[in-house]
Amino acid sequence: MDGRRRIGTRLAHGLRFTGAVAGISVLGVVLSGARAHSASVQAPPANVGFDLQLGGAYAPPSGVGVVERDRTAPAPTTGYGVCYVNGFQTQDSEIGWWRRSHPALLLRVRGREVRDPDWPETLLDITTPAKRRAVARIVGRWTDGCARRGYRAVELDNLDSWTRSKGRITVADTKAFARLLTGRAHGAGLAAGQKNAAELIRGARRPLGFDFAVVEQCQEYDECGRYTRAYGDRVMEVEYDPAAYRAACAARGARISVVLRDLDLVPAGRPGHVFEGC
């Protein structure tokens, strides 16, 4: 994203307690390799209403068939559930666990952790094959947990962390790690969703093993064509500006899911909640 930051998805999600520390001992059973039911992987249905519920789960609006929620939240009981996993950075509520249990997997420059400049998150160290495998085992346990709770897909956030790594993480590191995560998701029977990072597409179809995309503000950044060329109509576009949303609906609303959400991703029924789909 050339240093630009998406401003909606993690605003509410990244600062709230996810319950992950309490659940890590359960999800942390070492699993070697991918599970054997990858043939059951199904991408989200094309051009179906989508809702991004990272600020809190609620009953999906009428017409919504695909719902994304945090990995600690229950999967939706109807429709197609996408499980949010912060694959490339820590959640702020989990940083203590990382420092105690896996300090060598936190990215550092001259001994200091490399923190996201906009969010209270530390980047994970994926700069060597051994570290990539170690981090992938941890993230993979969370992915397996998504499958056990009934989700159909996983969305792996912060794919663009290399742009915030002070030059430590390369694009090649990012691609290699992404392939580990998408392979693990497929092994758990889950489709894998790309989040933003249009630069990694480079004209490829389903790059790095991803099956669909969840993209923020591609209308504003003039990136939507890259995603639709890579994933066809399996793109879920989220806009936060009403004017950009209207333009996106006019341009692509008949072919892909386009939604307008509030920046805080406030649950339905609370002040500030915004949801509209075209």
Side-chain angles (χ1 to χ4, degrees), residues 16 52-58 69 265-268 270:
R16 66 185 178 85
L52 192 61
Q53 297 189 358
L54 301 187
Y58 52 90
R69 293 176 176 169
L265 301 176
V266 174
R270 298 186 185 175

Side-chain angles (χ1 to χ4, degrees), residues 49-116:
F50 173 68
D51 192 11
L52 192 61
Q53 297 189 358
L54 301 187
Y58 52 90
S62 176
V64 167
V66 179
V67 174
E68 179 172 346
R69 293 176 176 169
D70 182 77
R71 66 182 175 87
T72 63
T77 56
T78 60
Y80 186 104
V82 178
C83 187
Y84 172 96
V85 172
N86 194 347
F88 290 74
Q89 299 182 181
T90 69
Q91 295 294 94
D92 187 47
S93 59
E94 299 170 7
I95 188 60
W97 178 83
W98 282 100
R99 288 169 178 161
R100 290 190 303 272
S101 303
H102 300 284
L105 299 182
L106 298 175
L107 187 69
R108 288 180 170 84
V109 172
R110 294 187 291 276
R112 296 176 64 89
E113 290 178 13
V114 179
R115 301 278 279 176
D116 187 307

Side-chain angles (χ1 to χ4, degrees), residues 188-207:
L190 301 174
Q194 175 176 344
K195 167 67 79 56
N196 302 325
E199 304 93 320
L200 295 184
I201 292 176
R202 300 290 183 187
R205 293 283 295 177
R206 295 183 58 216

Side-chain angles (χ1 to χ4, degrees), residues 30-179:
V30 176
L31 301 173
S32 57
R35 305 211 311 247
H37 51 283
S38 59
S40 64
V41 171
Q42 293 184 340
N47 194 16
V48 170
F50 173 68
D51 192 11
L52 192 61
Q53 297 189 358
L54 301 187
Y58 52 90
S62 176
V64 167
V66 179
V67 174
E68 179 172 346
R69 293 176 176 169
D70 182 77
R71 66 182 175 87
T72 63
T77 56
T78 60
Y80 186 104
V82 178
C83 187
Y84 172 96
V85 172
N86 194 347
F88 290 74
Q89 299 182 181
T90 69
Q91 295 294 94
D92 187 47
S93 59
E94 299 170 7
I95 188 60
W97 178 83
W98 282 100
R99 288 169 178 161
R100 290 190 303 272
S101 303
H102 300 284
L105 299 182
L106 298 175
L107 187 69
R108 288 180 170 84
V109 172
R110 294 187 291 276
R112 296 176 64 89
E113 290 178 13
V114 179
R115 301 278 279 176
D116 187 307
D118 297 315
W119 307 100
E121 300 176 1
T122 296
L123 277 64
L124 298 174
D125 191 342
I126 56 170
T127 57
T128 69
K131 288 186 174 183
R132 287 193 288 273
R133 289 192 296 270
V135 178
R137 282 193 292 271
I138 295 167
V139 176
R141 294 164 197 158
W142 301 339
T143 299
D144 293 342
C146 292
R148 288 195 295 271
R149 282 190 290 277
Y151 284 97
R152 305 285 299 281
V154 63
E155 181 255 285
L156 300 161
D157 198 15
N158 287 308
L159 181 61
D160 63 336
S161 288
W162 90 89
T163 65
R164 303 182 286 280
S165 71
K166 301 182 186 294
R168 289 292 313 282
I169 297 174
T170 67
V171 171
D173 294 333
T174 299
K175 290 181 175 180
F177 184 59
R179 289 188 181 97

